[in-house]
Amino acid sequence: MLAQKLGLSLPSLKKVGGADKRFIFTIDTTIAGQSGSSSFILSVLGTNNFDVDWGDGSSDTGVTASTQHDYARPGGVFTITITGNDIGIYFGNAFDKAKITNIINWGNQSINFNGTFYGCANLTSTAKDAPIITTSDLRNTLRNCTTFNGSVTGWDVTTVNNFTNWCLSASAFQGSGLETWDIRNATSASNFMTAGGFTTANYDALLIQWDTLTGYPSGLAITFGSTQYSAGAAATARASLVTKGLVITDGGQA
């Protein structure tokens, strides 16, 4: 069947209720990692309790700790579907960080520690939803995710106070969706964006939207690498944000 050829098992094609609460992502076991070429280590941190469809017709229920799955055939791309209310997949620059390749749906995946996808160099995202963020520390979340260029639209970061290096060296990330973020509880935002691929258009959108908010912490230093902004509305918004207390470092006006 086509689903099996794609490494997608039939149970993973089902939705749970209205909104899709499953965490769905692809892996490529041929990429070097801590496990072998026919295995994947599903690493977790914190409180977990979920069911896993491994994408090869097999599944596990009630998973609460990191676990390794061995596939029958060596090497391949598989779609893993995780269902549950307590999902905290975590890589932290270790385990099989290089094997995760695409997040299809965030569902109930929680980002509850810093460094969740740190080191996932082959990761991108085509998801249209957002993860659940329960931490105040978003440091290193996408650090060294050098191929990541997914949208971060709608991420609720209102509980976050530390954004340091959150996407450091994520050189392909163009900043799509950052304009929807509310960072007014931040106390540290150094290396908020590195030079990377952050586009002028996306930076303009961020400046203009962020300027619609008030209550920024005075003296908050936020860096956008060498990213430039446009003359006109974006330049005006940037100047306004500075008067509101932000200390902005960027590449200047284009």
Side-chain angles (χ1 to χ4, degrees), residues 240-251:
S240 176
L241 286 168
V242 171
T243 66
K244 291 177 180 179
L246 294 186
V247 180
I248 300 174
T249 300
D250 54 26

Side-chain angles (χ1 to χ4, degrees), residues 55-121:
D56 62 350
S58 63
S59 61
D60 287 318
T61 59
V63 176
T64 59
S66 297
T67 183
Q68 177 172 314
H69 181 70
D70 300 316
Y71 290 90
R73 58 183 174 90
V77 176
F78 299 91
T79 300
I80 295 177
T81 303
I82 300 179
T83 306
N85 293 321
D86 299 305
I87 305 173
I89 307 306
Y90 180 88
F91 292 92
N93 204 31
F95 303 102
D96 279 340
K97 60 184 181 180
K99 292 188 178 186
I100 181 171
T101 54
N102 183 38
I103 294 170
I104 298 171
N105 194 76
W106 287 102
N108 279 339
Q109 162 66 12
S110 294
I111 295 178
N112 45 20
F113 296 95
N114 68 68
T116 297
F117 295 99
Y118 183 7
C120 296

Side-chain angles (χ1 to χ4, degrees), residues 136-167:
S136 62
D137 186 354
L138 215 61
R139 285 177 299 153
N140 303 320
T141 298
L142 295 175
R143 183 172 181 174
N144 292 352
C145 294
T146 52
T147 60
F148 185 90
N149 191 26
S151 173
V152 295
T153 298
W155 287 32
D156 184 355
V157 296
T158 53
T159 63
V160 179
N161 56 50
N162 195 338
F163 291 91
T164 303
N165 299 334
W166 81 274
C167 66

